[in-house]
Amino acid sequence: MFKFLTSRTDDPGFPNSVVLTNKSSHWLVLDDQGRRIPPKSHAAMDAPSVAASSQISEHVEAGLRVVS
């Protein structure tokens, strides 16, 4: 599951959600399915999708994204 959020504290409305914050001023690719997150925004994904995405871990390590 995937959902854009208006703020980091919004309720995603589905279980096992992980909130992603894009700290970058650029769009970032989330996964191989082509999902992207806009600059300076928040989205929620289910935990298995986050775990399966190599792009998310690369962006966290680079300091471009925060996962909570």
Side-chain angles (χ1 to χ4, degrees), residues 28-48:
L28 295 177
V29 176
L30 293 173
D31 56 22
D32 292 336
Q33 295 178 358
R35 289 180 233 178
R36 302 182 320 144
I37 185 171
K40 309 291 182 189
S41 66
H42 311 280
M45 287 179 74
D46 58 291

Side-chain angles (χ1 to χ4, degrees), residues 6-17:
T6 56
S7 76
R8 193 175 77 172
T9 58
D10 281 357
D11 179 15
F14 56 92
N16 297 328
S17 62

Side-chain angles (χ1 to χ4, degrees), residues 8-27:
R8 193 175 77 172
T9 58
D10 281 357
D11 179 15
F14 56 92
N16 297 328
S17 62
V18 176
V19 175
L20 307 168
T21 300
N22 181 358
K23 295 171 51 177
S24 171
S25 58
H26 304 284
W27 282 78

Side-chain angles (χ1 to χ4, degrees), residues 49-62:
S49 296
V50 171
S53 172
S54 61
Q55 291 95 335
I56 290 175
S57 61
E58 290 170 4
H59 291 149
V60 169
E61 290 175 16

